[in-house]
Amino acid sequence: MSESHSIFPIYRSARRKGAASPLVLAIAAVSGLILVSCLVCGGLVYFGVNSQATSQIQQKYGENPIVKEHLGEIHSAWINTEASHEVAEEFGTPDYIVYDVHGSEGDGQLLIKQGEGDNFVGDEGILRIDSQDFDL
């Protein structure tokens, strides 16, 4: 009998070391749900902002003769954060946002001075195609 009592404590301690407590599992599950929710919300905001910016760019610059000549009809515009940082250093101001623009005739970048409030697109813009800049 003393043999069986000595085996059970070893078995119990080994079992406890490998098992996760319900509290740890609950915290992990809630943390995972929060992380997924944040990623989904961030993605929706990103796509929403780009959609609104595309719409404003199409309205403000879609009929510009220079844009029509080089890009054609604007189909989409996506914020390029890396290029925006480079332009901020180049111009010495963080007021410009760079959009990668896809048009029916070609692709380029629009460097647009930020607008006020909900207006992402200001009145000053530059079309950059390869290394050429065109004031809009």
Side-chain angles (χ1 to χ4, degrees), residues 14-123:
R15 197 170 133 205
R16 285 186 187 155
K17 287 180 184 177
S21 74
L23 179 62
V24 171
L25 291 175
I27 290 172
V30 169
S31 298
L33 286 174
I34 290 172
L35 178 65
V36 169
S37 298
C38 289
L39 290 173
V40 168
C41 289
L44 290 174
V45 168
Y46 179 75
F47 285 114
V49 167
N50 278 311
S51 175
Q52 188 173 3
T54 298
S55 176
Q56 289 181 12
I57 287 170
Q58 287 170 332
Q59 289 175 359
K60 190 158 281 198
Y61 296 104
E63 296 301 318
N64 185 296
I66 296 170
V67 172
K68 283 192 148 305
E69 176 186 345
H70 294 282
L71 301 180
E73 182 182 333
I74 295 173
H75 291 291
S76 65
W78 292 90
I79 295 172
N80 185 329
T81 55
E82 184 178 326
S84 294
H85 291 296
E86 292 171 5
V87 166
E89 289 180 11
E90 179 184 339
F91 292 167
T93 178
D95 294 342
Y96 285 85
I97 297 176
V98 178
Y99 296 90
D100 292 329
V101 180
H102 174 69
S104 60
E105 302 294 321
D107 299 332
Q109 290 183 323
L110 283 174
L111 290 62
I112 300 176
K113 190 167 187 175
Q114 296 181 51
E116 300 292 323
D118 288 341
N119 187 14
F120 295 115
V121 180
D123 294 328

